[in-house]
Amino acid sequence: MVLNYSFPVFFARFGRALGNVLNMKVMYRNPHVVYEGYIAGYQYHNGSQLEHLFKQGTEFSLKHEPENPFDDNAVALYYNNSRIGFIPPDTNVDVANRLQHGEPLKARVVNVDPQSEPWERVSVEVLKEEIN
């Protein structure tokens, strides 16, 4: 079978495939990291009012909220008993299951960028807590 691709189409497809391979984070990912990304609903909760207190390494507590009317797997992030947002619903199932089974997890700030859109200002990571 002869494929009738022009060079630009071939290189576009090859570049996209190579980019997907090179962007794979799985090979280099810290095995203790359960989630890394932004806080969903940040702009609707107390995050904006408390943002000046957040810096890299600031820790948040996590609470699975199965009674949430929008998502049975809702996992809220709290800073000093103030809800600041949620783990996004498309990535929260694993975190919710781990919390339900009593696995000790913690969340901490990876980056704060006050110039970004509200929903992209604070990125966090959820980690398995090391038990000594």
Side-chain angles (χ1 to χ4, degrees):
M1 171 186 237
V2 176
L3 297 176
N4 191 13
Y5 288 132
S6 67
F7 281 114
V9 171
F10 170 78
F11 284 114
R13 290 184 178 185
F14 179 76
R16 186 173 30 243
L18 183 60
N20 289 338
V21 170
L22 294 177
N23 285 328
M24 287 178 59
K25 296 179 183 178
V26 175
M27 295 186 318
Y28 304 106
R29 198 177 122 180
N30 179 341
H32 295 286
V33 175
V34 177
Y35 167 77
E36 185 170 357
Y38 298 112
I39 302 171
Y42 181 79
Q43 66 273 27
Y44 303 114
H45 297 283
N46 295 328
S48 299
Q49 293 84 20
L50 301 170
E51 188 174 286
H52 65 282
L53 301 171
F54 305 157
K55 63 182 191 292
Q56 186 176 17
T58 300
E59 292 193 2
F60 300 134
S61 58
L62 297 163
K63 182 182 176 206
H64 178 228
E65 298 183 346
E67 70 282 353
N68 185 300
F70 303 105
D71 184 1
D72 294 343
N73 294 307
V75 176
L77 292 112
Y78 285 85
Y79 179 76
N80 292 337
N81 298 317
S82 290
R83 183 188 296 160
I84 59 166
F86 293 88
I87 301 297
D90 58 335
T91 58
N92 66 1
V93 174
D94 184 39
V95 177
N97 286 335
R98 289 170 185 261
L99 289 171
Q100 278 183 316
H101 289 95
E103 187 172 333
L105 300 175
K106 66 179 177 181
R108 69 179 176 201
V109 173
V110 173
N111 186 43
V112 179
D113 183 4
Q115 305 307 315
S116 292
E117 296 292 338
W119 53 90
E120 294 179 345
R121 284 190 187 150
V122 180
S123 61
V124 296
E125 63 184 359
V126 175
L127 303 144
K128 298 179 201 175
E129 284 196 69
E130 295 181 22
I131 301 172
N132 295 327

